[in-house]
Structure formats: C-alpha cells, structure tokens
Amino acid sequence: MAGTLATLERNLITYKRNWRASVFSSFVLPLLFIISIGIGVGRYVGTVNGWDYLSFIVPGVLAAGAFQTAHGESTFAVMSDFKWSRAYHAMRATPLRIGHMIGGWQLYIQIRVFIGSAIFLAVSALFGAVHSPWVLVTPLVCALLALAVGAPVSAFAASLNSQSYFPLLTRFVVIPATLFSGVFFPVTQLPTLVLPLAYASPLWHAVELCRAAMLGTEPLWPAPAHVGYLLLIAAAGLVWANRAYSKRLKD
Amino acid sequence: MVTTYAVTHGRQMPAISRVASILSRNVAALRSGPSYWLVLLSGFFEPMLYLLSIGVGVGALIGNISVGDKTLSYAAFVAPAMLAVSAMSGALAETTYNFFAKFKFVRSYDSILATPLKPMDIAAGELVWAMLRGSLYTVCFLIIMVALDLTTPLWALVTLPATMLVGLAFGSIGMAISTMIRGWQDFDLVHVGQFSMFLFSGTFSPVQDYPFAVEILIALTPLYHAVEVLRALSTGAPSLGILVSIAYLALTTLAGLMVASRRMSKALLA
Amino acid sequence: MTEPLIYARALEKKFGDFAAVKGIDLEVAPGEAFGFLGPNGAGKSSTMRMIGCVSEPTGGELRILGMDPVRDGSRIRARLGVCPQHDNLDPDLTVFENLTTYARYFGIPRSEGRRRATELIEFVQLAEKADGKVEQLSGGMKRRLTIARAMVNEPDLVLLDEPTTGLDPQARHLLWERLFRLKQAGTTLVLTTHYMDEAEQLCDRLVVMDRGKVVAEGSPRYLIDTHSTKEVVELRFGTESPASFVEKLAGIGDRLDPLPDRLLLYTADGEGAVSEVHRRGFTPSSVLVRRSTLEDVFLILTGRTLVN
C-alpha cells in the first residue's frame, strides 16, 4: 500500500503542474453538453420514462464524463511514462512492484473522476436535475466505471509503441460509445443488430446504474448484473495491465 | 518523391498553375502513409455519428420541430448542421495542425518560397486543398442524407457548392489563426472555440430559443451562418436572408486569406 | 572474510536464441569499485540489469546482497542505487522533486527525503538548479542528478551503467571527481564502461567482457602487466597501409598489431624500438611512444578495439 501511495503522490505532483489542460474536458465539456442538449434540445423532447429530458440525461452525462476522463488519462500519459520519460523504468529500479505502479495510476484516475463527478453533480443540482438522495451512490458507480475503463486502456497504452492509435481509439471507440450507450436516448431504440454493441459498452451499464440511482427508474438488467459486468471488465483489465506492464519493463 | 513547381521561363506562371503546384505537393505527401487515410476517414465519421445519435436517436423522442413557419423532422433539422460541421472540421484539420506544422516546424514553406511562388500562392493553394478535404466529407455526407431521405438529390446538388464555400471560410480562418498562435498548446483554445460553436450555432436547437443577447453573439460566429445557408438549401427552402450569410462567409474567406498571406510574408520573407 | 555483495556463477542471459551473457563468474566485495569494460554489445548492460533485479537470469546462479534476485527483487532493490544508461528523470518534476519523489518510492518519510535531497543536490553541485525543471539541465547535470537520485536511499551498492557516455570532457571529469569521492567514502560502486580511461580512473578491479564472456579479470595495473608490455609505440606511415610493414618490422618488440590507420608495436623499451625502426631504413610520418593502457589489453585479448 505504501508503494501505491508513493506513486500516487508522484502522479498528483505532476497533475498539480498540468491541471489547467484538464479543466475543459472534465468539467466545461459536460457542462456545455448539459446546456446545449439537455436544456436546448430538451425543450423539444417531451418526457422520457416520465422525466424531463434534462433530468434524463444528467445521469448519463455524469457517467460519460467519468468514461472520458478515465480514457483520456490512460492513453498518452501512460505510454509516455513508458516510452519518453521512462518514469516506470525509474520506478522499476526501486523496491516498487508492478502492482504499485498500476495501483498508483488507477488511484490517481479515481481522484480525477471523483472531483469531476462531484463538480458536475453540484452544477446539475443548481439546474434542478438532482431529485433523490440516492445520487450519493453515483460516485461509486463512476469509480467502478473508471476502473473498468482505466485498467484496460492503460494496459493497451502500455503495450503500444506508437501514439497514432490513440486518435483512432477515440474516434472509433470512445465517441461512438459515448453517443450510443443510452446517454442521450434509451438504447432500446437502437436497431437490434447494434444493440449487443451497446450492451458490451461499460458506459451503458454505468448509465443504467446512475439513472436508476438518480431517477429511481428500473435498470434494463438487474442492478447486480450491471455491477457484475463492470467488475468483470475491471478485473480483466487489471490482469491485462499487470501483464502488459511486466512485459514492457522486462529485459 | 520529387514535387515539381512548374516554371515557365521568363514569364509569370498563371495563378491557377501556381495554386495547383501547392496541391500537387499535398497530394504527394498524402500518399506517404496509410494512417493518413484512416484519420481522414475518421474526420467524416464524427459528424455522422452525431447525426445518428442526436439527430435520429434523440430525434425519435422529438418527432417534428417547427422553425419559423416550417415544420420538419428533427433529423432533417440536425443533418445540415452536421454537414456544416463536417466541412468545418475537414477544412480546419488541414489549416490548423497540418498547416502549423508545415509553417513552424517542418518549414516546408521556406523552401517553396525559394521558388517563383509567393506567400499568397501558398495560402491560396493550402486553402483550396483544405476546402477539397472538407468537400470530400460533405459529398459523402450529402449522399447519406439523400439515402436517409433528409434531403432530395436535386437540393443536395445545390447544397454542395455552398459546403465548398463553408470549407473555404473555415479554411481561411484556420490558416489565419495558425499564423498567429505561438505553440501547440494554443490549439486547446481553438478546440474549445470549435466545440462551443459545434454545440450552440443552431446545430441542435434553433438559436431563437436563446436569450436575445446570446443570439446576437452566436450570429457573429461563422458556423451559425454556415448552418443557416446549408439548412435553407438542403431543406429546399432558400430565402433572401441567406444572402447575408453567404456574403459573411465570402468576406471571411477573403479576410482570412489576406491575414494569412500577410503574416506569412512577415514571418518567412523578413 | 565478509560475504560478497554480488556473487555470480555461470550466469547466463538469453533473449530467444541470442545469448547476451554466456556464463560469467563474478564476486564483488563491500567497498570495492568494480568495473565491466567492453565494447558495445559485450553483455555489460544485460549483466547490470540482472544485478539490478530488473531482468531475470536465464541460467546459472546469482546472489545480490546474499539474496535471490528473482524471489527477493524488491528487498534487494531497496538497498541498491541505480544510474541507468539512459537518463529517466521525471520531466514534469523539478530537480528537487525528482529526488524527494524517488525517496518516497523507498518508503523514506517526507521530511527525511527532503533532508537527503538537500544534501545530495549540494553534493552533485546542482543547488542553484534545485527548483528548475529537468529539461533545463545539460547532459552532465542530468547525469549528476541521476547519480544523486541513485544515492537517495543510502544504498549498499551503486550500479552505474556507462555513467559518462555522451558527455563532454569537462562534464566527465566533474563526474569522475564526484564518483571518486563516493568511493573514498566507502560506497561500493559497480560500473560499466567502454572507456579505458574511465575504468583506469575509477576501478579497483575489473573484468574485460567480450561477446558475452569474461576474457580477463584483475586490477587495471595487473591486467596491463600480465597481458601487455610496458610501452607501446604507435607508428604512422602516411598513405601506406600499416599492415604492409608488419613483415618489414618483424622481430622488433614483442608484438606488432596493424590497425587501419596505424601500427602498434608492443615493447618494454619504446625508444630502443624506434631507433631499430630507423636503423632498418624506415621513416614513419609520426611516432608516439606511450605507456600501455587497458585499450591495448583489450586489443591483445580480442583482436579488436574498444571504441570504433
């Protein structure tokens, strides 16, 4: 644990220097979405599942924000600490173990996601889009989602040698996942052929859980199934990360 | 690979061939990597996904929307906006990151200016190139709009040249910005501006819904005018009002081009 | 006798079919300054990485500080200081933070880490740069900071992989002087180098490595005395090929080695050999009589030069 905290400390010192760049993506961007789509488009949407459109999308945009932050922090930053700064190689020469390095980075992502979610929820409350004390559960859902995204994407980044895959990952995976995981409209509207893709997306499971917590709606699957799926992806991601980090630091 | 800049001995090269020589350089560079094609494709992908998600997906929750005295499906309302966005992002991709790299780092233009070409030729050549990339997106986009019954083939043909004007306007704005910014980190700001326009230029909901002061502010930005023109044409309801927007885009193109070539002269020929 | 800090028998490292280290034996005692001398690709860095517990041996026996590097890697690394071949300082942190953050990786309390960082920054003469960014440091400064970082856990054993490669002469001498002080203070140093002058300056004892094997072992003086002659004469003959003189000068000195640009003549008496060359009627365009170096030892043992 001490080793994990030591790497977390390093990551936070680094963040202290570079936080400005993250303000737009983790705070301003979700807010702009809320205003443009939630309020702007919302006035033309009647109600969805009995709720006004803004209230409907707030849990979704909350989860999508966590999704994007976790993804964003697991790409260039991780690869560059292997390839350019070689910070992981420096850590490798100390008593730190691979688990500490992965843990320190995932904890850092957790802190980033938590701050982003808290600010977003506070603003949503000002817009009158928070209706239930169960909202307190949503940061836990976001934390689980962040691990289910952060761990495998970090593993992917650790095994790459070229950054040119990242824009492709963003455009062909992250943006489609954000747009079709039930954030803006229920996935049941999707063509049957595409539906399994939405079910595979960790974001969709988190959206269902956040929406269930904030609006009291019945999730499409039983809540434990959604949680179980996210746990499974997170666990697989951690195993993969352990393997990818070890391989990268070996020989 | 050798790229030639045709020189006619003793005589001034015609403007067309000067611009064409810049284009042929970019075509040559284009062939140098397959990843470029993937990135090229992905630029078209994004507005398309928004059309399907917000336009069709959320549109199903909305049904029809009335703007002024017209009623149309929400998808048909969003589609021309995304068409404008694809022209914008295609043109900006070329004139921001790519142009800036060539201008400041690869320093391609230093060597080009050692030939009979002038800064204005480079600026015009790059602009036409950026517009062509945007048009590649808009042609594909219009075909899909016709296929989804969001416009008619005839109006799609009328809309196409207008998307080229949109590409020119954004290309020249991007190029002017690229000659002014200091470093890569400034592109973050460009990105913020681009994304704010994307969300609020009457793209997903009519600007008339916003408070009057905000509406005025939006009316000063280029994407708003692009959306106005393309929406009027693709929905088959052009009005005299769009002439103002067309003039705005044309003037922006000229102003951007002049700023860019003047600043290039200052930076490269000083 | 105390237990050796490094003990290796028939140590091997293979990457697929390629054997980088082909069965070497080593012992390094506390307080020693020990060197691996050899050209690029001799297997020095692979050996260092095994000693640093970041690369597992594929054969033979290796014990570091009396422990097994595979099982006790983390415990061993806690007592090592490592200065890798390529600097991996943290570019997002200041010079000072690079040390304090690294100290945290060893579980050193914050205040203690700050105390040591202040001391070490003073030691490597970077006090003025303490709050600056790593990027602003020159190559020599970066290397000194990396060495300071390697000292932050007060290690029992410091590993330096090519500590001065790529530095200008002035920066090298400054670094050597700092390393010499560490050695005087009783720190055990293990370093790799392909510079014979570096090995002569810093090492009490060294092994000469070539193609994954140890070809000789001993103190620099001992290696020179056993494998080379007291003096070496370097002869140059304008445009003529040095090899063509081997036969003509046969019998002078103990040994003749033609290099592409010069002929090396090994002998106990340099001046005597030069007169003999002139007596045979040859007038080299340049003549240099010097003492034997490790470079000569390497050439004699392997038939190749160290730096090419």
Side-chain angles (χ1 to χ4, degrees):
Chain A
M1 197 61 204
T4 306
L5 292 178
T7 62
L8 172 66
E9 206 173 304
R10 175 253 174 193
N11 300 334
L12 289 175
I13 295 175
T14 311
Y15 182 57
K16 199 174 73 187
R17 296 260 144 68
N18 305 326
W19 65 273
R20 276 176 203 86
S22 70
V23 170
F24 178 70
S25 62
S26 47
F27 172 59
V28 179
L29 195 89
L31 186 66
L32 292 181
F33 257 108
I34 284 297
I35 297 173
S36 169
I37 311 290
I39 299 176
V41 178
R43 77 162 64 198
Y44 296 93
V45 182
T47 57
V48 190
N49 300 344
W51 288 93
D52 62 284
Y53 189 62
L54 177 66
S55 299
F56 174 79
I57 72 164
V58 157
V61 176
L62 170 71
F67 179 74
Q68 301 228 0
T69 302
H71 161 258
E73 286 300 323
S74 307
T75 52
F76 289 103
V78 172
M79 195 192 80
S80 115
D81 278 349
F82 277 109
K83 193 181 157 95
W84 307 116
S85 80
R86 295 172 68 83
Y88 286 121
H89 292 81
M91 292 179 193
R92 182 72 178 119
T94 73
L96 293 179
R97 295 166 199 277
I98 304 282
H100 297 140
M101 302 176 200
I102 297 172
W105 192 251
Q106 293 305 320
L107 264 182
Y108 161 73
I109 292 177
Q110 289 292 328
I111 291 174
R112 290 283 316 277
V113 166
F114 180 78
I115 295 172
S117 314
I119 295 175
F120 179 77
L121 282 173
V123 175
S124 302
L126 290 180
F127 282 108
V130 174
H131 305 281
S132 153
W134 280 97
V135 68
L136 293 175
V137 179
T138 58
L140 286 175
V141 177
C142 290
L144 184 55
L145 172 67
L147 189 62
V149 176
V153 177
S154 300
F156 178 64
S159 49
L160 284 185
N161 242 323
S162 156
Q163 59 195 47
S164 62
Y165 292 94
F166 293 138
L168 300 179
L169 181 69
T170 306
R171 285 177 156 154
F172 292 111
V173 180
V174 176
I175 291 177
T178 308
L179 289 173
F180 299 96
S181 291
V183 175
F184 299 107
F185 58 92
V187 291
T188 43
Q189 275 176 226
L190 288 172
T192 338
L193 220 59
V194 191
L195 203 52
L197 284 178
Y199 289 164
S201 151
L203 177 56
W204 174 67
H205 297 272
V207 170
E208 286 295 304
L209 288 170
C210 286
R211 198 164 275 147
M214 290 183 73
L215 305 179
T217 49
E218 191 74 24
L220 205 61
W221 294 5
H226 287 301
V227 173
Y229 182 85
L230 289 172
L231 279 173
L232 196 72
I233 300 279
L238 287 174
V239 170
W240 182 19
N242 190 45
R243 215 170 275 175
Y245 276 52
S246 308
K247 193 166 170 225
R248 190 71 184 250
L249 292 173
K250 205 184 207 171
D251 306 317
Chain B
M1 193 167 304
V2 181
T3 313
T4 47
Y5 298 97
V7 181
T8 331
H9 285 284
R11 269 175 296 135
Q12 182 73 15
M13 282 161 70
I16 282 283
S17 68
R18 277 178 280 152
V19 169
S21 65
I22 296 290
L23 291 185
S24 75
R25 185 221 158 266
N26 287 341
V27 171
L30 186 67
R31 281 190 300 229
S32 65
S35 67
Y36 191 97
W37 288 101
L38 261 179
V39 174
L40 198 73
L41 176 75
S42 68
F44 160 73
F45 206 53
E46 212 173 305
M48 197 65 236
L49 288 176
Y50 273 94
L51 172 64
L52 294 176
S53 172
I54 309 294
V56 179
V58 178
L61 302 169
I62 294 177
N64 289 339
I65 183 170
S66 305
V67 186
D69 49 3
K70 279 185 305 194
T71 298
L72 66 168
S73 78
Y74 184 68
F77 174 81
V78 170
M82 294 303 107
L83 178 67
V85 166
S86 58
M88 167 176 84
S89 50
L92 280 182
E94 284 297 338
T95 54
T96 53
Y97 292 97
N98 288 0
F99 179 88
F100 185 68
K102 284 189 264 185
F103 180 56
K104 273 265 161 72
F105 292 99
V106 191
R107 304 198 71 92
S108 320
Y109 300 135
D110 295 55
S111 59
I112 295 179
L113 287 175
T115 73
L117 297 182
K118 295 193 292 286
M120 189 46 136
D121 302 326
I122 297 178
E126 291 292 358
L127 182 56
V128 171
W129 173 252
M131 180 272 282
L132 287 177
R133 174 162 171 182
S135 303
L136 178 70
Y137 294 172
T138 56
V139 167
C140 300
F141 206 95
L142 281 167
I143 292 173
I144 290 170
M145 280 173 69
V146 171
L148 292 177
D149 205 21
L150 299 172
T151 187
T152 63
L154 204 64
W155 281 112
L157 276 180
V158 176
T159 311
L160 181 61
T163 68
M164 296 167 94
L165 177 62
V166 172
L168 287 173
F170 279 103
S172 71
I173 294 172
M175 203 153 50
I177 290 174
S178 291
T179 57
M180 288 190 267
I181 66 172
R182 295 152 301 171
W184 295 111
Q185 65 278 7
D186 289 349
F187 277 118
D188 287 347
L189 266 178
V190 176
H191 182 232
V192 173
Q194 196 181 339
F195 203 79
S196 309
M197 285 198 294
F198 168 67
L199 285 176
F200 295 102
S201 297
T203 33
F204 297 109
S205 61
V207 288
Q208 290 78 14
D209 295 349
Y210 297 122
F212 186 65
V214 177
E215 196 186 326
I216 295 292
L217 192 71
I218 293 171
L220 292 175
T221 64
L223 187 60
Y224 164 78
H225 294 281
V227 172
E228 282 294 293
V229 174
L230 299 189
R231 186 171 283 146
L233 294 178
S234 76
T235 55
S239 65
L240 276 180
I242 66 167
L243 288 177
V244 176
S245 292
I246 290 174
Y248 175 102
L249 294 171
L251 284 174
T252 305
T253 306
L254 289 177
L257 202 53
M258 270 163 63
V259 170
S261 75
R262 187 163 305 169
R263 294 203 47 106
M264 279 173 79
S265 308
K266 248 174 98 183
L268 301 174
L269 295 177
Chain C
M1 190 190 149
T2 47
E3 192 188 7
L5 296 186
I6 303 173
Y7 174 89
R9 279 294 171 272
L11 182 62
E12 233 182 53
K13 179 72 196 182
K14 278 189 183 153
F15 298 96
D17 287 338
F18 171 71
V21 180
K22 300 172 186 163
I24 61 172
D25 298 341
L26 292 174
E27 269 174 49
V28 176
E32 251 190 317
F34 184 86
F36 291 92
L37 177 70
N40 291 328
K44 304 182 307 276
S45 289
S46 298
T47 309
M48 280 296 246
R49 291 173 52 76
M50 289 192 277
I51 295 171
C53 308
V54 292
S55 164
E56 288 185 15
T58 48
E61 190 188 351
L62 179 65
R63 296 191 74 73
I64 312 294
L65 307 168
M67 291 180 273
D68 173 4
V70 177
R71 226 188 39 234
D72 302 316
S74 181
R75 276 175 61 201
I76 298 171
R77 289 197 301 271
R79 292 168 56 192
L80 298 184
V82 177
C83 174
Q85 191 175 344
H86 303 287
D87 289 319
N88 53 20
L89 297 161
D90 208 318
D92 291 321
L93 306 179
T94 64
V95 167
F96 191 75
E97 283 169 345
N98 257 282
L99 299 184
T100 49
T101 312
Y102 206 68
R104 297 292 292 151
Y105 297 162
F106 289 90
I108 296 165
R110 251 179 229 98
S111 58
E112 176 63 12
R114 275 198 296 273
R115 192 187 65 73
R116 290 189 194 177
T118 313
E119 220 175 86
L120 285 166
I121 273 183
E122 199 68 51
F123 174 68
V124 294
Q125 297 166 309
L126 287 173
E128 287 152 44
K129 306 273 178 186
D131 296 320
K133 283 269 184 138
V134 168
E135 288 155 43
Q136 296 151 359
L137 301 183
S138 69
M141 291 174 175
K142 278 186 189 162
R143 196 51 64 87
R144 262 147 52 207
L145 180 58
T146 308
I147 288 173
R149 195 182 66 176
M151 301 301 298
V152 86
N153 58 328
E154 299 178 343
D156 296 325
L157 180 58
V158 178
L159 308 178
L160 304 141
D161 199 356
E162 310 219 347
T164 65
T165 299
L167 300 187
D168 61 59
Q170 205 189 346
R172 288 180 80 194
H173 282 282
L174 184 56
L175 202 71
W176 283 346
E177 192 256 330
R178 292 292 111 178
L179 290 175
F180 191 75
R181 286 201 187 197
L182 282 182
K183 187 179 139 180
Q184 277 183 317
T187 312
T188 311
L189 301 180
V190 172
L191 61 102
T192 71
T193 182
H194 55 246
Y195 298 121
M196 52 99 189
D197 50 347
E198 185 159 281
E200 281 182 351
Q201 285 256 357
L202 294 173
C203 301
D204 303 323
R205 202 160 60 84
L206 54 93
V207 289
V208 179
M209 282 189 82
D210 185 44
R211 295 176 175 153
K213 286 199 171 122
V214 170
V215 291
E217 179 182 348
S219 70
R221 198 66 253 155
Y222 169 84
L223 287 171
I224 292 167
D225 289 347
T226 5
H227 297 284
S228 188
T229 51
K230 190 167 160 247
E231 293 187 328
V232 180
V233 183
E234 295 195 9
L235 302 168
R236 287 170 204 263
F237 294 94
T239 52
E240 288 173 83
S241 143
S244 66
F245 286 88
V246 172
E247 214 163 294
K248 297 169 190 159
L249 299 180
I252 308 179
D254 300 355
R255 180 192 167 102
L256 286 162
D257 254 325
L259 298 181
D261 59 334
R262 61 194 194 276
L263 184 70
L264 300 185
L265 198 161
Y266 295 91
T267 173
D269 170 19
E271 291 304 328
V274 174
S275 358
E276 178 63 17
V277 170
H278 284 124
R279 207 189 53 77
R280 292 195 189 181
F282 299 107
T283 43
S285 54
S286 93
V287 174
L288 171 71
V289 180
R290 58 166 175 80
R291 284 166 24 119
S292 261
T293 65
L294 286 171
E295 177 88 44
D296 302 310
V297 172
F298 188 79
L299 183 67
I300 291 167
L301 288 172
T302 67
R304 288 179 295 123
T305 49
L306 270 172
V307 186
N308 38 25

